[in-house]
Amino acid sequence: MSAGCARRNEVAPTVDRWPVAPPILEEIYTMEDALAFGGACISLLDHADRVRVACLAQLVNVIAPIMTKTGGGAWRQTIVFPFAHMSRFGRGRILHARVETEACYVSYNNPDGTPAGTFPAPDVPYLKIAAVAEQGGGLSLFLLNRDLKQEMEVSVEARSFGPLTVHERLELRHDDLMAANTENTPDKVKPAPLQSVAFARGRLRATLKPASWNVIHLAPHREDEGPANTAPKDQS
C-alpha cells in the first residue's frame, strides 16, 4: 500500500476510563492503493507455483477493505474490489503469459528500511497481467495499466480455447488517484463496465485507461447464444 494512507480519527467510548473497542490502525485506502493491491494480487497469481497460500489477514476496520462506524453504516474501501475480483475469477490453472509491452524507468526505496537512498528499476513494464484458465474452458484476465497518462491497446491471443464469449468486463479507475470511499461517499471509487472490448477469431482486443485495474472474463460459447459475440453485454 502507499505510504500516504490516512487514518480515521474517532474517540473510543470508555467504561471506568478503560477504552472499549478503540479504533486501531483504521487506514483509509485510495485509488492508488487499489492499483498497488491489484498489482500484488497479480504477482501472487503469477508465482502460484511457489506461493501456495496467501490471505488477507484483517477484514474489517483494522488495515482492512471494509469499514464500519459505531452506530452507523458500513462501506467498501477501494482495495476490496481487486480482492473480490480475484476471489471470483481467479480460480483455475494459472497460465504463463508472454507479454510484449513498453517499459519505463522507475526507482524504489531501499527494501531493508535503512536511509540509503533508492535503487533503479530501468525496465518496468507498463502492463501487468495474470491469466487463469477455468476447468470448464473459460479464461479470466487481470490487467493493470501502470501508465499514469496514456491509454493502452491490448491484444490477447486465445485461439487454443475454442469459441469464447466476453461474459464480463470490469474497470476500476478514478481521475484522482487519492480518491477514497467514505461513509458519506461510499461509491466514489467503484467498478464500471470496461467499454472498449471485442473478441473475434480467437483474439481479444481491449483499450485500458491510464492507471486502471481491469478484469475480463471469457466464457465458453453456447450454441443457444447464437453466433459468438464480438461485443459484451453491459455489466454493472
Side-chain angles (χ1 to χ4, degrees):
M1 305 305 168
S2 69
C5 294
R7 292 185 178 179
R8 289 200 302 169
N9 294 316
E10 292 186 4
V11 177
T14 60
V15 175
D16 296 330
R17 293 183 298 178
W18 288 94
V20 177
I24 301 173
L25 294 177
E26 293 194 342
E27 307 285 2
I28 305 303
Y29 295 116
T30 65
M31 180 64 223
E32 183 180 57
D33 294 313
L35 297 175
F37 188 93
C41 288
I42 288 176
S43 292
L44 288 173
L45 282 182
D46 285 343
H47 294 84
D49 58 329
R50 284 165 282 175
V51 182
R52 297 293 182 173
V53 177
C55 67
L56 192 60
Q58 283 76 29
L59 296 179
V60 179
N61 286 356
V62 180
I63 53 175
I66 299 173
M67 299 298 293
T68 65
K69 183 177 180 180
T70 303
W75 61 98
R76 297 168 295 184
Q77 295 220 67
T78 60
I79 62 173
V80 78
F81 299 112
F83 183 71
H85 294 157
M86 280 286 176
S87 177
R88 182 181 176 189
F89 297 110
R91 299 174 183 270
R93 183 165 55 94
I94 312 302
L95 304 179
H96 176 66
R98 298 184 62 180
V99 181
E100 295 181 7
T101 181
E102 294 182 356
C104 60
Y105 178 95
V106 299
S107 59
Y108 64 95
N109 295 328
N110 190 350
D112 64 11
T114 59
T118 59
F119 291 84
D123 295 306
V124 176
Y126 280 118
L127 176 64
K128 192 169 187 178
I129 183 172
V132 180
E134 295 180 344
Q135 186 175 3
L139 175 64
S140 293
L141 300 171
F142 305 93
L143 306 109
L144 179 66
N145 181 6
R146 295 193 280 201
D147 194 318
L148 300 181
K149 297 180 179 180
Q150 300 294 326
E151 289 187 345
M152 177 183 294
E153 301 291 333
V154 175
S155 176
V156 178
E157 291 286 348
R159 289 173 291 179
S160 299
F161 284 83
L164 295 172
T165 298
V166 179
H167 190 256
E168 292 201 47
R169 69 303 193 274
L170 299 167
E171 166 192 87
L172 183 68
R173 66 171 302 277
H174 197 282
D175 290 336
D176 181 8
L177 289 178
M178 295 296 103
N181 294 336
T182 66
E183 182 183 17
N184 295 326
T185 58
D187 296 321
K188 187 173 185 178
V189 180
K190 65 178 183 179
L194 177 60
Q195 297 296 335
S196 181
V197 181
F199 184 80
R201 297 180 180 88
R203 173 174 289 186
L204 174 79
R205 296 184 183 277
T207 301
L208 311 181
K209 292 181 181 178
S212 64
W213 161 263
N214 307 270
V215 181
I216 301 174
H217 175 58
L218 301 168
H221 178 68
R222 300 195 311 267
E223 293 298 330
D224 58 359
E225 293 177 327
N229 66 314
T230 58
K233 299 177 182 178
D234 286 338
Q235 301 288 338
S236 60

